[in-house]
Amino acid sequence: MNQQFEQELMGSWQERQEYAELMQPVLGKLYRDSAVEISIFGRPMLGASAIDIIKSHRKVRRHTGDKLRLRESWPILEEMSKLQLAPAHIDLGKLAYAYHHDDKFKDMDIKTYLAEQLATIAGKQDNHPVQDVVLYGFGRIGRLLARLLIERQGKNNKLRLKAIVVRGGKDGDLEKRASLLRRDSVHGPFSGSITVDHERNAIKANGSFIQVIYADSPDSVDYTQFGIQDAIVIDNTGIWRDRDGLGLHLKAKGTKKAILTAPGKGDVKNIVYGVNHNDITSEDTILSAASCTTNAITPVLKALDEQFGIENGHVETVHSFTNDQNLIDNFHKAERRGRSAALNMVITETGAAKAVSKAYPQLEGKLTGNAIRVPTPNVSLAILNLNLNKSSDKEEMNNFLRDLSLFSSLQHQVDFTSSIEIVSTDLVGSRAASVVDSQATIVAGNRATLYVWYDNEFGYSCQVMRVVQAMSGLVYPTIPA
């Protein structure tokens, strides 16, 4: 390798790194000040490192066949940062690619181009009132929801985490709660600063003041004494799952709505964002965000049913173990779950396949399902074995699913990978409800087998947040649509 080539290679890399480093503070400021979330062809840039930004640009070629250079997207982001924008999801990659590769924009300057593309949000203000949020329970999902709420901290943030409610109150409890938020063996350290306020029994995190409240029953809390009004309570305990039980939250002073992070029972609406979130009305005071598996498979199944028609099928989930199982063999009221989760694959039931029809009734009675719990702490896999009404092949199926992940109303729910080396740990932290593994797709005529990964903790928590936003009336546009 000659010296000139080495210098050119290094110069090219350094240029990309410099542009990525220019982008980082702008991405953060747009999010904090305007609640504008930036992505690159569906890849979220919130909290992205310089390397993440470079990699996201490099992957554009897989979808388009052409490069997207950072020096092409940076001027658009820079100009965007000068505008007053209402909250939105903006795909910078798609905007930049269209500007540089679509002939209809070739004679248009960037300022004019953005004025046209961002017309629906430019010069607009978000006058929606601030919404207080309470986390009832602080387990795996509760702490991830706390991280998601805290990362939204900014002057235009409309969802404010005001309190967490837990049982306990013994000496050292506050420090332990803060420590569990600060450190996570699966999802890594908290991004920011966390301190404990003993005097006011609270946790301070990145400028957020989070009251810690101890209670044994939802209706025994008076939130108003902590300055909390009309709060949405997110119940992470799973103890109360019907309307009567969840209604206890609404008997507490200072609350107005409740969301369950588990499948709801009875007449409680089970919402899978992207599928049936339009069923949420202003009169709804109690909702369920369904289960992690239901959120992972329903968007994919809905899209497939609309495109190919689903006659029937079976869903098998290979699911990471959960706290419900025993670490070593011990008594458990459920069959097999008493056996060591860390040592065994455990066949167990899942209601996810049947629960799909609660969000997408067109598949009522068409799916069966089962689950195998495996010795991994996070990220699960759903295997969809389907009989379709139309014949297809692997290429057509994967092209459809790729386009679904990039250009459809489900682009925030369904992601897509063409990697031949991807494994479960690569999907930790995925913000999508599911990720289609295109290399594993099998299609033979009208029979299809799809492999769909999902971060059953973080990806699900992102879906819960979308339901919370919708329940609060905070539904933001995606640009380009």
Side-chain angles (χ1 to χ4, degrees):
M1 187 181 295
N2 61 49
Q3 187 174 9
Q4 181 181 353
F5 179 79
E6 287 185 2
Q7 289 175 345
E8 289 175 353
L9 188 64
M10 180 56 69
S12 174
W13 174 257
Q14 187 168 334
E15 179 194 76
R16 282 178 282 169
Q17 198 162 24
E18 288 173 354
Y19 276 119
E21 288 167 353
L22 284 172
M23 288 182 175
Q24 283 179 293
V26 178
L27 294 168
K29 186 172 177 59
L30 278 170
Y31 188 79
R32 291 190 306 274
D33 293 353
S34 304
V36 170
E37 299 185 44
I38 301 293
S39 60
I40 305 291
F41 273 74
R43 189 183 181 97
M45 291 293 99
L46 181 61
S49 67
I51 300 302
D52 290 333
I53 295 171
I54 292 170
K55 287 169 67 177
S56 69
H57 280 71
R58 193 174 67 186
K59 288 183 177 180
V60 169
R61 191 170 191 171
R62 293 183 185 176
H63 305 303
T64 65
D66 295 309
K67 289 181 180 179
L68 176 65
R69 297 172 175 83
L70 278 82
R71 64 173 177 266
E72 293 174 330
S73 57
W74 162 246
I76 292 178
L77 180 64
E78 184 182 31
E79 186 63 36
M80 196 186 301
S81 69
K82 300 174 184 177
L83 303 175
Q84 178 185 312
L85 301 174
H89 302 274
I90 301 178
D91 197 310
L92 173 65
K94 293 176 186 176
L95 289 179
Y97 185 84
Y99 180 73
H100 290 285
H101 292 85
D102 194 326
D103 287 342
K104 69 180 179 181
F105 302 123
K106 65 180 180 180
D107 297 322
M108 192 178 289
D109 62 77
I110 291 176
K111 192 170 184 178
T112 305
Y113 174 69
L114 285 179
E116 179 183 295
Q117 297 296 313
L118 306 179
T120 57
I121 62 169
K124 308 289 178 62
Q125 288 187 333
D126 181 13
N127 296 317
H128 195 281
V130 171
Q131 173 65 63
D132 291 350
V133 178
V134 171
L135 294 173
Y136 197 97
F138 207 51
R140 298 297 301 158
I141 301 302
R143 293 195 296 274
L144 289 177
L145 288 171
R147 289 188 175 201
L148 287 168
L149 286 160
I150 293 166
E151 79 176 8
R152 285 167 164 74
Q153 185 69 11
K155 65 183 183 182
N156 206 35
N157 170 41
K158 302 299 182 181
L159 291 176
R160 303 286 173 88
L161 175 58
K162 301 300 289 286
I164 62 172
V165 184
V166 293
R167 294 183 180 183
K170 297 180 180 179
D171 289 344
D173 182 89
L174 199 57
E175 286 83 357
K176 287 185 179 294
R177 304 286 180 186
S179 179
L180 284 168
L181 179 60
R182 185 182 291 117
R183 305 175 182 88
D184 192 285
S185 300
V186 173
H187 299 281
F190 174 82
S191 180
S193 170
I194 293 176
T195 57
V196 173
D197 186 332
H198 289 283
E199 183 179 349
R200 290 180 284 190
N201 205 63
I203 295 172
K204 298 175 183 176
N206 291 5
S208 296
F209 181 85
I210 307 163
Q211 187 71 51
V212 179
I213 302 169
Y214 297 105
D216 293 324
S217 176
D219 56 352
S220 66
V221 184
D222 180 0
Y223 294 103
T224 60
Q225 67 177 309
F226 302 106
I228 299 171
Q229 297 285 347
D230 297 327
I232 290 181
V233 179
I234 307 176
D235 188 321
N236 309 290
T237 67
I239 297 173
W240 303 277
R241 294 171 62 180
D242 59 14
R243 188 168 295 277
D244 289 340
L246 293 168
L248 294 173
H249 290 294
L250 306 185
K251 293 181 179 180
K253 292 182 179 179
T255 67
K256 69 173 182 179
K257 295 182 179 181
I259 294 178
L260 171 66
T261 62
K265 296 182 177 180
D267 65 345
V268 174
K269 290 181 183 177
N270 284 255
I271 302 297
V272 174
Y273 197 91
V275 175
N276 67 331
H277 62 276
N278 290 328
D279 291 348
I280 301 174
T281 69
S282 57
E283 288 75 34
D284 284 320
T285 56
I286 295 174
L287 292 176
S288 158
S291 72
C292 58
T293 302
T294 305
N295 274 270
I297 64 177
T298 307
V300 178
L301 289 167
K302 175 182 183 290
L304 290 172
D305 185 54
E306 291 175 345
Q307 181 71 12
F308 300 99
I310 295 176
E311 186 176 339
N312 54 50
H314 177 80
V315 178
E316 194 74 29
T317 63
V318 182
H319 199 293
S320 294
F321 60 66
T322 65
N323 276 328
D324 171 67
Q325 295 171 257
N326 293 329
L327 285 176
I328 57 175
D329 291 1
N330 208 343
F331 174 81
H332 195 294
K333 63 181 181 180
E335 296 174 355
R336 307 195 205 209
R337 291 200 188 192
R339 302 299 300 277
S340 171
L343 296 175
N344 295 294
M345 293 191 293
V346 180
I347 297 176
T348 186
E349 294 180 349
T350 176
K354 291 183 179 179
V356 167
S357 62
K358 291 187 177 182
Y360 186 66
Q362 289 85 337
L363 293 181
E364 174 74 40
K366 293 186 177 183
L367 300 174
T368 58
N370 223 5
I372 305 169
R373 295 290 181 92
V374 294
T376 58
N378 184 41
V379 180
S380 300
L381 179 66
I383 305 170
L384 313 180
N385 292 294
L386 306 171
N387 292 312
L388 306 175
N389 293 330
K390 295 180 184 177
S391 293
S392 185
D393 56 41
K394 180 174 180 177
E395 183 178 6
E396 180 189 19
M397 181 66 70
N398 280 339
N399 286 341
F400 169 73
L401 293 168
R402 182 197 61 209
D403 290 347
L404 179 76
S405 72
L406 290 171
F407 307 113
S408 78
S409 61
L410 291 170
Q411 61 185 283
H412 300 299
Q413 281 67 52
V414 181
D415 202 353
F416 181 91
T417 178
S418 56
S419 171
I420 60 174
E421 296 290 352
I422 200 162
V423 293
S424 60
T425 55
D426 296 324
L427 280 306
V428 173
S430 171
R431 290 176 183 256
S434 60
V435 182
V436 175
D437 191 327
S438 63
Q439 294 298 315
T441 298
I442 302 170
V443 182
N446 67 340
R447 292 184 294 110
T449 301
L450 303 179
Y451 291 76
V452 178
W453 298 98
Y454 57 109
D455 184 327
N456 49 278
E457 294 184 334
F458 195 76
Y460 173 65
S461 296
C462 290
Q463 280 288 89
V464 174
M465 283 300 304
R466 294 173 185 125
V467 177
V468 174
Q469 288 176 310
M471 204 177 192
S472 305
L474 297 167
V475 179
Y476 299 142
T478 295
I479 299 173

